[in-house]
Amino acid sequence: MAIIIAGIVIFVGYMVIHPRVPVISVVGAYLPHFSYDGAGVLVTQVNIVVRSRNDNMKAHARFSNFNIELFFDGNRIAVLSTATPYEVKKNSSVDFNYEYTSDPIPLNPVQMNHVDESLKKDEVSFELKGGVRAQWRVGVLGSVKFLCHLNCQLQFHASNGSYIKRRCSSRSK
């Protein structure tokens, strides 16, 4: 009998709260600097805006362990992270603007060819991988924890640095 009552309470709580998984996504980016010299050394600067969104109407979300890595042709060039956990209020979002300038990156001959091809196509690609832990708590029902993962490509026009907008979100497809 107790199991049936607990099941009904959980079902009713779910129907009232309509929980939604918190989401992180890239909402904007810019490539202000991408230079490559004949010696095979690359220097780049990239700006990325990452949004943490909580679509729950009845629960605040807490995000922690935010750690996303930026790769160029297999080389990790940046780690985007937050030092402390943060909260996103009900039905709200928080944006983080990351600006990163790389140290000189020596490229091997294969990577140099890849950069040459990218510049000819006027499309430069980076990979963004990582995620964040999210948790929301609702009164006596307790808390629910999620892992939000990003694994996507960011593409830019090398000529003007503009971001070629594509889906880059932890939300399920």
Side-chain angles (χ1 to χ4, degrees):
M1 190 67 160
I3 293 173
I4 293 173
I5 292 173
I8 291 171
V9 168
I10 290 171
F11 178 74
V12 169
Y14 179 85
M15 295 305 291
V16 169
I17 296 167
H18 296 290
R20 291 182 177 84
V21 176
V23 174
I24 56 172
S25 57
V26 172
V27 294
Y30 183 61
L31 186 67
H33 185 73
F34 188 83
S35 69
Y36 162 71
D37 66 18
V41 177
L42 173 71
V43 176
T44 186
Q45 180 182 3
V46 64
N47 299 351
I48 302 171
V49 180
V50 179
R51 177 171 292 158
S52 298
R53 191 173 70 237
N54 176 19
D55 290 335
N56 286 300
M57 299 292 279
K58 305 206 188 299
H60 286 45
R62 178 179 170 87
F63 291 82
S64 62
N65 298 342
F66 186 101
N67 189 35
I68 298 175
E69 297 176 320
L70 182 67
F71 294 86
F72 178 76
D73 206 18
N75 292 333
R76 185 177 76 177
I77 62 170
V79 177
L80 316 177
S81 63
T82 57
T84 59
Y86 59 96
E87 291 206 11
V88 178
K89 295 182 180 183
K90 302 171 189 173
N91 202 29
S92 185
S93 64
V94 174
D95 290 351
F96 292 96
N97 187 24
Y98 293 97
E99 296 180 11
Y100 180 77
T101 302
S102 73
D103 292 328
I105 304 165
L107 302 176
N108 64 40
V110 173
Q111 292 170 322
M112 290 168 54
N113 285 337
H114 182 247
V115 171
D116 287 336
E117 289 174 13
S118 295
L119 292 173
K120 285 177 187 170
K121 292 180 188 174
D122 193 33
E123 278 191 16
V124 176
S125 295
F126 294 85
E127 289 183 356
L128 200 59
K129 296 180 180 182
V132 64
R133 292 185 185 277
Q135 172 182 352
W136 50 259
R137 183 172 185 83
V138 182
V140 296
L141 292 179
S143 66
V144 178
K145 297 177 182 177
F146 305 94
L147 289 173
C148 303
H149 293 282
L150 275 182
N151 186 0
C152 53
Q153 282 200 341
L154 301 181
Q155 292 189 321
F156 300 90
H157 290 292
S159 59
N160 62 13
S162 63
Y163 174 52
I164 302 169
K165 199 160 179 93
R166 296 208 169 137
R167 184 186 176 284
C168 183
S169 174
S170 65
R171 178 167 292 200
S172 299
K173 296 179 182 178

